Amino acid sequence: MSALDFASTAGATGPTGATGTAGVTGSTGVAGVTGPTGPVGATGAAGAAELDYVEITADVTVSATTAAAATTCITGNAVAYDGSTRICIEVYSPAVITASTSNAEVLTQLWDGSTDLGRLAYHGRGDGTRGDFNQLLARRFLTPTAATHTYSIRAYRTAGNGTWGAGAGGADANLPAYLRITRA
């Protein structure tokens, strides 16, 4: 037999051998370029977003005797409104106190700049034996015109000076009084 005879004669294939061990994992490649930022999503509902918040931490003596000359208790910040957004103006005082005089009253008004929008609260005491102490929490909903508005809380009294109470808080002390404006 010649070498040529071996090349032309094929025999049966032998069994497959065992799989060898895995090789070492190669190093990590270079990071790709970051893709473009996606589109901005739709604006969410307005909800109760706070537009203004002002608090006071000291009592205000109410000495004015008419609404036109009312004592300023809290003045908010100037805020621009769009003319279509309804708002809630919330006012709180831990204690509105009348004088201990017969028919003593403290009347709390909501103002927009130099315009008296009306009475938010009335605190009165008719018997004159002691001052009347009452908490105040009042809300007024409205849609301001498209302009900048500065809301304030003012008060006046009838007989004897009153007090629009506020404090810094703490053990057995009044909390701050505040004016808060939110989207309604």
Side-chain angles (χ1 to χ4, degrees), residues 32-156:
V33 177
T34 301
T37 300
V40 174
T43 301
E50 193 167 82
L51 302 172
D52 194 15
Y53 179 85
V54 177
E55 65 181 35
I56 60 171
T57 57
D59 290 346
V60 175
T61 299
V62 178
S63 58
T65 57
T66 65
T71 302
T72 301
C73 300
I74 302 178
T75 300
N77 297 298
V79 177
Y81 296 92
D82 62 12
S84 62
T85 301
R86 187 170 186 236
I87 64 170
C88 174
I89 301 171
E90 181 177 282
V91 179
Y92 170 77
S93 172
V96 176
I97 307 164
T98 64
S100 56
T101 305
S102 289
N103 301 315
E105 301 167 333
V106 174
L107 301 101
T108 301
Q109 309 288 115
L110 172 62
W111 287 68
D112 179 359
S114 60
T115 303
D116 183 353
L117 297 179
R119 185 169 304 130
L120 278 175
Y122 164 90
H123 292 85
R125 182 77 182 168
D127 67 9
T129 58
R130 63 180 176 81
D132 194 25
F133 294 74
N134 286 296
Q135 182 182 71
L136 167 66
L137 176 61
R139 292 182 184 97
R140 170 74 169 106
F141 292 85
L142 57 91
T143 303
T145 60
T148 298
H149 296 265
T150 303
Y151 292 101
S152 64
I153 303 304
R154 303 180 194 185
Y156 67 101

